[in-house]
Amino acid sequence: MINALRVLVFVQVFLAAFTAMVGSFADGGQWWERFILVAVHPTAAVLLLVLVVRRESARVLVLVTAAVLALNVVADVGLAAAIGSGAIKGDWWLPLVFAVVPLIALPYCIVRYRNS
């Protein structure tokens, strides 16, 4: 299970870094859409990477990681809903792709918190 999560985390880090670079240069979109792409996704991915790679982690790191992952999921679901309702342009399913790994990792954070 942990090895599968590590693979998913590395994929998430690559995906978040790539879209942050692309999102920084793309035209259009609101500031909060770019904030999700450029700040929330990479921060969540890096925190999760640190948490998965380290064997011992402080409870604060686990809590902060869980909070940022939850923010990531809520932001992506909200973005997908905004796109689906027609409020903004885009593919409604695309933000949900970024929510998969954080959603899978949230139970991992809960287990890590209880064991720390």
Side-chain angles (χ1 to χ4, degrees):
M1 171 69 176
I2 299 299
N3 288 332
L5 184 59
R6 284 184 180 164
V7 170
L8 288 174
V9 168
F10 281 107
V11 169
Q12 183 77 2
V13 167
F14 175 75
L15 188 62
F18 179 73
T19 56
M21 288 186 299
V22 172
S24 296
F25 296 108
D27 291 333
Q30 302 293 322
W31 68 269
W32 56 272
E33 295 172 80
R34 287 181 189 250
F35 180 75
I36 293 169
L37 282 177
V38 176
V40 175
H41 290 163
T43 303
V46 168
L47 284 171
L48 185 57
L49 178 66
V50 169
L51 191 65
V52 169
V53 171
R54 293 180 63 175
R55 293 196 183 270
E56 297 292 326
S57 299
R59 293 184 101 182
V60 173
L61 175 64
V62 178
L63 283 175
V64 169
T65 302
V68 174
L69 290 174
L71 173 66
N72 189 98
V73 170
V74 169
D76 287 334
V77 169
L79 192 56
I83 293 170
S85 71
I88 57 177
K89 293 182 180 182
D91 297 318
W92 66 269
W93 54 269
L94 194 55
L96 298 179
V97 170
F98 290 98
V100 171
V101 174
L103 197 57
I104 291 170
L106 277 171
Y108 173 75
C109 288
I110 293 169
V111 170
R112 285 289 296 262
Y113 183 76
R114 287 184 180 165
N115 293 335
S116 62

